[in-house]
Amino acid sequence: MTVDDEEVRHVASLARIDLDDEEVGRFAEQFDDILAYFEALEDVPDVEDDTELANVMRPDEVREGLTQAEALRNAPETEDGYFKGPNVS
Amino acid sequence: MSHNAFITDARIDGEDTGPLAGLTVGIKDNISTAGVRTTCGSATLAEYVPPYSATVVDRLLEAGATVVGKTNMDEFGMGTTTETSAFGPTENPAAEGRVPGGSSGGSAAAVAAGEADVALGSDTGGSVRCPAAFCGVVGIKPTYGLVSRYGLVAYANSLEQIGPLAPTVELAAEALDAIAGPDPRDATTRAPPEGTETDYPAAADADVEGMTVGVPTELVEGADDGVRTVFEDALDELRARGASVEAVSLPSVETAVQAYYVIAMSEASSNLARFDGVRYGTDGEDGEDGTEGNWNDSFAAAREAGFGEEVKRRVLLGTYALSAGYHDKYYKRAQDARAWVKRDFEEAFESVDLLASPTMPVPPFELGESLEDPLRMYLADANTVPVNLANLPAISVPAGETDEGPVGVQFVAPAFGEATLVRAGSALE
């Protein structure tokens, strides 16, 4: 399989990460090697996963959480007690 | 001299009394500390100050330990050398000019250099055991669910556990004792089954008489000659103390590295979606780069600016593996490979008490050596990742040195068999 620059750009847009042209070229080459290596997974036999999983439940009780100031403390931009995101045009 | 083991120096005093009173601890910088910045080794979180502490930090402080700083790490835990940190590489105090291993390299270096008595790391695919081996210290990766992950910044939730690093097996066991146990804030924690030996420090008695140690041939064959020599000497030491050693086979480990990376990258692509520069992290919007008015463009710019290359690589590959048309080919097959590894270990433990192998198949890399070739770095994780895939506990203990640096021996036990690991590990001290 070959990964081309176009495919790397498509995945980068799905992942919401801008890349410069140099990175795109380098990643295309590296992804080729890495995905070729992952091909070995095709030979894995079917195995029943018999892990026993149990739900862990607790009563839904009100308890203290973060204050508004604590929650907003790390935000690059806030306004009137809200997080401020990019404008929507 | 400074090895750049810490990203942030900060002192948090614990209780006056307790089993860890008088001891200093370093905390890996992906473990939240209230009021002390927690960067995950990433530029995007360079200014991030958590409003709460991880459960493990509270438990160490309650046990009397004093936090002395936040340790360096590969960005978000993604690396085997601690060179992907946005805060510069850490140097190996036990092997000049070489990497300390990763991703918890700062924690291992701090302990090896005597800058902390104990340290916490996190182990997603070997990130406690690898740096322990490379720096000549002890590291424990607990059974999945023994230690709370509340307050650990997630990389790959289904694989990772927080674990201690220390200069001796007994001290590592004491730290494990302090942090282990169910936490209502982490629903994946659970108590060991009734009757399990849980006094870990008391198990450091070196009594391996009558123990059966299995050696998976697949995890020894690929190791460097110098590493194998040290490993064989360690097996002789165990035999001399009355243990028996036998070869076992784990055919599934041949696809464990592939399965590990597909699963870890997939989980990472989802987990790291939260770093969009709105609630925390670097902000992509400045209105000057044409991103004004478009959420997606703004997020993509924030993430380009905030993430290093290895993080971008893994998030992209994880996105690819989960994308339409590829999910069954990669992610689903990786889950099958994971189930296969679990079954292999279960079968091996029907005839042996624990398994032994070199922790790392190679000695510590030279600084800068592996950065250009990510696949080569991934392959170095061959002996550690099967343990995470199978949710099992493991320990790395120093066993000797080659000309290129320290060599660690890894023991793996059945789930909640930490006491057995401590016992076997202490026999090599």
Side-chain angles (χ1 to χ4, degrees), chain A residues 1-3 7-20 23 26-27 30-52 54-58 63-64 66 70-78 83-89, chain B residues 35 47-52 184-185 187 189 254-255 257-259 261-262 265 277-283 285 292-301 303-304 307 309 311-313 315-317 319-320 323 326 329-330 333-334 336-337 339-340 342-343 346 372 374-375 378-379:
Chain A
M1 84 166 355
T2 3
V3 181
E7 205 158 3
V8 171
R9 284 202 180 86
H10 174 64
V11 175
S13 92
L14 292 177
R16 310 281 187 270
I17 299 180
D18 282 345
L19 300 177
D20 60 37
E23 271 177 318
R26 194 162 56 240
F27 280 175
Q30 291 169 346
F31 288 8
D32 236 14
D33 288 349
I34 294 166
L35 293 170
Y37 176 64
F38 288 168
E39 293 283 317
L41 289 170
E42 286 183 7
D43 302 325
V44 170
D46 284 324
V47 176
E48 194 84 11
D49 186 357
D50 52 4
T51 311
E52 283 178 38
N55 277 328
V56 179
M57 310 295 274
R58 62 167 173 79
R63 63 182 183 202
E64 262 182 67
L66 298 180
E70 284 170 334
L72 293 175
R73 177 178 168 177
N74 286 286
E77 274 191 278
T78 64
F83 295 109
K84 193 175 176 200
N87 291 331
V88 180
S89 51
Chain B
E47 311 287 334
Y48 175 71
V49 179
Y52 62 91
R185 293 182 187 272
T189 54
E254 301 296 349
T255 49
V257 173
Q258 294 91 330
Y261 275 97
V262 168
M265 289 166 169
V278 174
R279 290 154 297 164
Y280 32 67
T282 43
D283 187 357
E285 186 196 34
E292 185 76 27
N294 185 309
W295 283 78
N296 288 333
D297 288 350
S298 174
F299 294 158
R303 291 153 68 76
E304 179 184 31
F307 291 161
E309 184 163 320
V311 171
K312 292 177 188 169
R313 188 155 39 234
V315 169
L316 260 53
L317 282 164
T319 304
Y320 183 86
S323 63
Y326 294 107
K329 179 179 165 69
Y330 295 110
R333 298 309 290 169
D336 288 341
W340 188 25
K342 281 183 195 166
R343 196 190 63 185
E346 278 166 21
E372 293 305 309
L375 186 54
Y378 302 165
L379 292 173

Side-chain angles (χ1 to χ4, degrees), chain B residues 33-381:
Chain B
T33 40
V36 175
R37 75 168 178 160
T38 297
T39 70
C40 295
S42 181
T44 198
L45 293 178
E47 311 287 334
Y48 175 71
V49 179
Y52 62 91
S53 283
T55 299
V56 292
V57 171
D58 287 338
R59 287 187 178 173
L60 286 178
L61 295 172
E62 282 160 22
T66 299
V67 172
V68 290
K70 304 299 296 290
T71 58
N72 202 5
M73 56 181 286
D74 282 299
E75 186 177 2
F76 288 108
M78 300 180 187
T80 309
T81 66
T82 309
E83 293 171 295
T84 72
S85 170
F87 299 87
T90 296
E91 195 171 338
N92 188 332
E96 201 182 320
R98 294 181 183 271
V99 303
S103 66
S104 314
S107 292
V111 169
E115 293 171 8
D117 296 316
V118 185
L120 292 186
S122 62
D123 191 313
T124 311
S127 284
V128 164
R129 291 160 286 155
C130 161
F134 280 3
C135 291
V137 301
V138 176
I140 298 175
K141 182 264 163 193
T143 306
Y144 189 80
L146 180 67
V147 176
S148 169
R149 289 180 294 110
Y150 179 73
L152 171 69
V153 180
Y155 155 28
N157 320 52
S158 81
L159 297 161
E160 56 207 5
Q161 275 285 287
I162 293 169
L165 297 102
T168 65
V169 171
E170 188 173 4
L171 198 47
E174 281 176 17
L176 179 63
D177 207 40
I179 61 174
D183 175 12
R185 293 182 187 272
D186 176 358
T188 63
T189 54
R190 59 198 174 113
E194 204 73 28
T196 302
E197 183 182 359
T198 54
D199 187 345
Y200 310 124
D205 56 13
D207 181 11
V208 294
E209 175 96 48
M211 211 179 261
T212 309
V213 180
V215 177
T217 48
E218 294 87 352
L219 301 185
V220 181
E221 279 164 356
D224 276 21
D225 288 346
V227 170
R228 283 183 74 157
T229 305
V230 172
F231 177 65
E232 296 297 338
D233 289 348
L235 293 180
D236 286 342
E237 176 65 27
L238 294 172
R239 287 190 193 95
R241 288 175 176 271
S244 61
V245 176
E246 59 183 66
V248 299
S249 180
L250 298 173
S252 65
V253 302
E254 301 296 349
T255 49
V257 173
Q258 294 91 330
Y260 167 77
Y261 275 97
V262 168
I263 292 169
M265 289 166 169
S266 298
E267 292 186 22
S269 72
S270 170
N271 275 321
L272 270 60
R274 70 190 58 157
F275 298 106
D276 55 16
V278 174
R279 290 154 297 164
Y280 32 67
T282 43
D283 187 357
E285 186 196 34
D286 57 14
E288 290 163 15
D289 56 359
T291 61
E292 185 76 27
N294 185 309
W295 283 78
N296 288 333
D297 288 350
S298 174
F299 294 158
R303 291 153 68 76
E304 179 184 31
F307 291 161
E309 184 163 320
E310 183 62 26
V311 171
K312 292 177 188 169
R313 188 155 39 234
R314 294 195 193 191
V315 169
L316 260 53
L317 282 164
T319 304
Y320 183 86
L322 293 176
S323 63
Y326 294 107
H327 177 277
D328 284 4
K329 179 179 165 69
Y330 295 110
Y331 188 73
K332 193 173 167 299
R333 298 309 290 169
Q335 294 296 349
D336 288 341
R338 183 173 189 172
W340 188 25
V341 170
K342 281 183 195 166
R343 196 190 63 185
D344 254 6
F345 274 110
E346 278 166 21
E347 286 176 4
F349 286 129
E350 284 169 14
S351 58
V352 300
D353 297 310
L354 77 173
L355 296 166
S357 73
T359 307
M360 299 298 289
V362 290
F365 305 112
E366 288 179 40
L367 282 159
E369 189 185 345
S370 64
L371 278 186
E372 293 305 309
D373 185 357
L375 186 54
R376 180 171 168 234
M377 187 167 73
Y378 302 165
L379 292 173
D381 298 339

Side-chain angles (χ1 to χ4, degrees), chain B residues 376-424:
Chain B
R376 180 171 168 234
M377 187 167 73
Y378 302 165
L379 292 173
D381 298 339
N383 289 6
T384 51
V385 296
V387 172
N388 301 76
L389 291 170
N391 304 329
L392 297 174
I395 191 171
S396 178
V397 289
E401 298 222 357
T402 70
D403 294 344
E404 294 158 283
V407 173
V409 164
Q410 170 179 257
F411 292 112
V412 185
F416 297 109
E418 277 80 359
T420 306
L421 297 178
V422 167
R423 185 161 285 123

